[in-house]
PDB file of all heavy atoms in Angstrom:
ATOM      1  N   THR V 193      -0.749  17.506  -9.875  1.00  0.00           N
ATOM      2  CA  THR V 193      -1.752  17.852  -8.880  1.00  0.00           C
ATOM      3  C   THR V 193      -1.932  19.327  -8.836  1.00  0.00           C
ATOM      4  O   THR V 193      -0.981  20.101  -8.759  1.00  0.00           O
ATOM      5  CB  THR V 193      -1.289  17.339  -7.488  1.00  0.00           C
ATOM      6  OG1 THR V 193      -1.102  15.913  -7.552  1.00  0.00           O
ATOM      7  CG2 THR V 193      -2.325  17.650  -6.453  1.00  0.00           C
ATOM      8  N   MET V 194      -3.157  19.748  -8.875  1.00  0.00           N
ATOM      9  CA  MET V 194      -3.548  21.183  -8.756  1.00  0.00           C
ATOM     10  C   MET V 194      -4.410  21.335  -7.482  1.00  0.00           C
ATOM     11  O   MET V 194      -5.390  20.594  -7.323  1.00  0.00           O
ATOM     12  CB  MET V 194      -4.335  21.607  -9.982  1.00  0.00           C
ATOM     13  CG  MET V 194      -3.469  21.680 -11.230  1.00  0.00           C
ATOM     14  SD  MET V 194      -4.408  21.645 -12.772  1.00  0.00           S
ATOM     15  CE  MET V 194      -4.701  19.832 -12.841  1.00  0.00           C
ATOM     16  N   ARG V 195      -4.062  22.216  -6.645  1.00  0.00           N
ATOM     17  CA  ARG V 195      -4.720  22.345  -5.371  1.00  0.00           C
ATOM     18  C   ARG V 195      -4.981  23.816  -5.033  1.00  0.00           C
ATOM     19  O   ARG V 195      -4.039  24.675  -5.198  1.00  0.00           O
ATOM     20  CB  ARG V 195      -3.905  21.706  -4.241  1.00  0.00           C
ATOM     21  CG  ARG V 195      -4.541  21.735  -2.883  1.00  0.00           C
ATOM     22  CD  ARG V 195      -3.587  21.116  -1.866  1.00  0.00           C
ATOM     23  NE  ARG V 195      -4.111  21.271  -0.505  1.00  0.00           N
ATOM     24  CZ  ARG V 195      -3.392  21.054   0.582  1.00  0.00           C
ATOM     25  NH1 ARG V 195      -2.137  20.589   0.455  1.00  0.00           N
ATOM     26  NH2 ARG V 195      -3.939  21.203   1.754  1.00  0.00           N
ATOM     27  N   LYS V 196      -6.168  24.132  -4.590  1.00  0.00           N
ATOM     28  CA  LYS V 196      -6.478  25.490  -4.172  1.00  0.00           C
ATOM     29  C   LYS V 196      -5.787  25.783  -2.899  1.00  0.00           C
ATOM     30  O   LYS V 196      -5.957  25.043  -1.908  1.00  0.00           O
ATOM     31  CB  LYS V 196      -8.006  25.644  -4.003  1.00  0.00           C
ATOM     32  CG  LYS V 196      -8.795  25.674  -5.280  1.00  0.00           C
ATOM     33  CD  LYS V 196     -10.275  25.886  -4.979  1.00  0.00           C
ATOM     34  CE  LYS V 196     -11.121  25.848  -6.254  1.00  0.00           C
ATOM     35  NZ  LYS V 196     -12.581  26.023  -5.984  1.00  0.00           N
ATOM     36  N   VAL V 197      -5.048  26.838  -2.832  1.00  0.00           N
ATOM     37  CA  VAL V 197      -4.395  27.309  -1.601  1.00  0.00           C
ATOM     38  C   VAL V 197      -4.577  28.834  -1.535  1.00  0.00           C
ATOM     39  O   VAL V 197      -5.066  29.447  -2.453  1.00  0.00           O
ATOM     40  CB  VAL V 197      -2.833  26.974  -1.642  1.00  0.00           C
ATOM     41  CG1 VAL V 197      -2.616  25.489  -1.650  1.00  0.00           C
ATOM     42  CG2 VAL V 197      -2.203  27.629  -2.869  1.00  0.00           C
ATOM     43  N   GLU V 198      -4.232  29.372  -0.375  1.00  0.00           N
ATOM     44  CA  GLU V 198      -4.387  30.824  -0.260  1.00  0.00           C
ATOM     45  C   GLU V 198      -3.564  31.503  -1.347  1.00  0.00           C
ATOM     46  O   GLU V 198      -2.362  31.251  -1.497  1.00  0.00           O
ATOM     47  CB  GLU V 198      -3.898  31.227   1.134  1.00  0.00           C
ATOM     48  CG  GLU V 198      -4.115  32.696   1.463  1.00  0.00           C
ATOM     49  CD  GLU V 198      -3.758  33.065   2.892  1.00  0.00           C
ATOM     50  OE1 GLU V 198      -3.433  32.167   3.685  1.00  0.00           O
ATOM     51  OE2 GLU V 198      -3.726  34.287   3.177  1.00  0.00           O
ATOM     52  N   GLY V 199      -4.213  32.336  -2.094  1.00  0.00           N
ATOM     53  CA  GLY V 199      -3.516  33.070  -3.142  1.00  0.00           C
ATOM     54  C   GLY V 199      -3.670  32.504  -4.528  1.00  0.00           C
ATOM     55  O   GLY V 199      -3.211  33.071  -5.510  1.00  0.00           O
ATOM     56  N   GLY V 200      -4.317  31.311  -4.649  1.00  0.00           N
ATOM     57  CA  GLY V 200      -4.517  30.794  -5.986  1.00  0.00           C
ATOM     58  C   GLY V 200      -4.463  29.257  -6.037  1.00  0.00           C
ATOM     59  O   GLY V 200      -4.801  28.572  -5.114  1.00  0.00           O
ATOM     60  N   ILE V 201      -3.960  28.775  -7.165  1.00  0.00           N
ATOM     61  CA  ILE V 201      -3.824  27.337  -7.454  1.00  0.00           C
ATOM     62  C   ILE V 201      -2.387  26.951  -7.453  1.00  0.00           C
ATOM     63  O   ILE V 201      -1.552  27.571  -8.113  1.00  0.00           O
ATOM     64  CB  ILE V 201      -4.454  27.000  -8.816  1.00  0.00           C
ATOM     65  CG1 ILE V 201      -5.897  27.418  -8.890  1.00  0.00           C
ATOM     66  CG2 ILE V 201      -4.288  25.515  -9.053  1.00  0.00           C
ATOM     67  CD1 ILE V 201      -6.817  26.681  -7.957  1.00  0.00           C
ATOM     68  N   ARG V 202      -2.021  25.955  -6.650  1.00  0.00           N
ATOM     69  CA  ARG V 202      -0.681  25.453  -6.653  1.00  0.00           C
ATOM     70  C   ARG V 202      -0.581  24.131  -7.507  1.00  0.00           C
ATOM     71  O   ARG V 202      -1.420  23.277  -7.349  1.00  0.00           O
ATOM     72  CB  ARG V 202      -0.203  25.186  -5.231  1.00  0.00           C
ATOM     73  CG  ARG V 202       1.266  24.741  -5.115  1.00  0.00           C
ATOM     74  CD  ARG V 202       1.734  24.811  -3.638  1.00  0.00           C
ATOM     75  NE  ARG V 202       1.037  23.887  -2.829  1.00  0.00           N
ATOM     76  CZ  ARG V 202       0.915  23.994  -1.508  1.00  0.00           C
ATOM     77  NH1 ARG V 202       1.426  25.075  -0.893  1.00  0.00           N
ATOM     78  NH2 ARG V 202       0.279  23.129  -0.783  1.00  0.00           N
ATOM     79  N   ILE V 203       0.410  24.053  -8.292  1.00  0.00           N
ATOM     80  CA  ILE V 203       0.645  22.917  -9.171  1.00  0.00           C
ATOM     81  C   ILE V 203       1.918  22.192  -8.759  1.00  0.00           C
ATOM     82  O   ILE V 203       2.942  22.795  -8.561  1.00  0.00           O
ATOM     83  CB  ILE V 203       0.725  23.326 -10.648  1.00  0.00           C
ATOM     84  CG1 ILE V 203      -0.582  24.032 -11.075  1.00  0.00           C
ATOM     85  CG2 ILE V 203       1.011  22.117 -11.529  1.00  0.00           C
ATOM     86  CD1 ILE V 203      -0.523  24.571 -12.475  1.00  0.00           C
ATOM     87  N   SER V 204       1.829  20.871  -8.598  1.00  0.00           N
ATOM     88  CA  SER V 204       2.996  20.070  -8.250  1.00  0.00           C
ATOM     89  C   SER V 204       3.011  18.839  -9.173  1.00  0.00           C
ATOM     90  O   SER V 204       1.967  18.391  -9.639  1.00  0.00           O
ATOM     91  CB  SER V 204       2.984  19.667  -6.815  1.00  0.00           C
ATOM     92  OG  SER V 204       1.853  18.966  -6.475  1.00  0.00           O
ATOM     93  N   GLU V 205       4.193  18.325  -9.384  1.00  0.00           N
ATOM     94  CA  GLU V 205       4.351  17.138 -10.278  1.00  0.00           C
ATOM     95  C   GLU V 205       5.187  16.100  -9.570  1.00  0.00           C
ATOM     96  O   GLU V 205       6.173  16.411  -8.879  1.00  0.00           O
ATOM     97  CB  GLU V 205       4.971  17.551 -11.602  1.00  0.00           C
ATOM     98  CG  GLU V 205       4.131  18.499 -12.428  1.00  0.00           C
ATOM     99  CD  GLU V 205       4.740  18.824 -13.777  1.00  0.00           C
ATOM    100  OE1 GLU V 205       5.998  18.861 -13.850  1.00  0.00           O
ATOM    101  OE2 GLU V 205       3.995  18.973 -14.735  1.00  0.00           O
ATOM    102  N   GLU V 206       4.845  14.830  -9.819  1.00  0.00           N
ATOM    103  CA  GLU V 206       5.631  13.749  -9.354  1.00  0.00           C
ATOM    104  C   GLU V 206       5.635  12.614 -10.397  1.00  0.00           C
ATOM    105  O   GLU V 206       4.738  12.513 -11.225  1.00  0.00           O
ATOM    106  CB  GLU V 206       5.038  13.169  -8.023  1.00  0.00           C
ATOM    107  CG  GLU V 206       5.058  14.093  -6.848  1.00  0.00           C
ATOM    108  CD  GLU V 206       4.656  13.422  -5.520  1.00  0.00           C
ATOM    109  OE1 GLU V 206       4.737  12.170  -5.454  1.00  0.00           O
ATOM    110  OE2 GLU V 206       4.290  14.144  -4.640  1.00  0.00           O
ATOM    111  N   GLN V 207       6.642  11.763 -10.333  1.00  0.00           N
ATOM    112  CA  GLN V 207       6.668  10.573 -11.147  1.00  0.00           C
ATOM    113  C   GLN V 207       6.822   9.356 -10.262  1.00  0.00           C
ATOM    114  O   GLN V 207       7.725   9.289  -9.434  1.00  0.00           O
ATOM    115  CB  GLN V 207       7.797  10.600 -12.169  1.00  0.00           C
ATOM    116  CG  GLN V 207       7.795   9.376 -13.104  1.00  0.00           C
ATOM    117  CD  GLN V 207       8.899   9.442 -14.140  1.00  0.00           C
ATOM    118  OE1 GLN V 207      10.024   9.028 -13.836  1.00  0.00           O
ATOM    119  NE2 GLN V 207       8.634   9.952 -15.315  1.00  0.00           N
ATOM    120  N   HIS V 208       5.948   8.385 -10.387  1.00  0.00           N
ATOM    121  CA  HIS V 208       5.976   7.157  -9.580  1.00  0.00           C
ATOM    122  C   HIS V 208       6.231   5.987 -10.516  1.00  0.00           C
ATOM    123  O   HIS V 208       5.659   5.878 -11.631  1.00  0.00           O
ATOM    124  CB  HIS V 208       4.655   6.904  -8.874  1.00  0.00           C
ATOM    125  CG  HIS V 208       4.339   7.929  -7.831  1.00  0.00           C
ATOM    126  ND1 HIS V 208       3.223   7.891  -7.022  1.00  0.00           N
ATOM    127  CD2 HIS V 208       5.016   9.080  -7.419  1.00  0.00           C
ATOM    128  CE1 HIS V 208       3.241   8.926  -6.187  1.00  0.00           C
ATOM    129  NE2 HIS V 208       4.281   9.639  -6.448  1.00  0.00           N
ATOM    130  N   LYS V 209       7.080   5.075 -10.092  1.00  0.00           N
ATOM    131  CA  LYS V 209       7.316   3.866 -10.846  1.00  0.00           C
ATOM    132  C   LYS V 209       7.021   2.618  -9.989  1.00  0.00           C
ATOM    133  O   LYS V 209       7.366   2.588  -8.805  1.00  0.00           O
ATOM    134  CB  LYS V 209       8.826   3.789 -11.320  1.00  0.00           C
ATOM    135  CG  LYS V 209       9.139   4.799 -12.461  1.00  0.00           C
ATOM    136  CD  LYS V 209      10.579   4.627 -12.886  1.00  0.00           C
ATOM    137  CE  LYS V 209      10.871   5.589 -14.024  1.00  0.00           C
ATOM    138  NZ  LYS V 209      10.231   5.155 -15.317  1.00  0.00           N
TER     139      LYS V 209
END
Side-chain angles (χ1 to χ4, degrees):
T193 302
M194 291 158 281
R195 182 181 174 193
K196 288 181 182 180
V197 295
E198 186 176 351
I201 302 294
R202 185 167 63 203
I203 299 175
S204 58
E205 296 184 325
E206 297 189 19
Q207 184 180 83
H208 295 182
K209 288 183 178 289

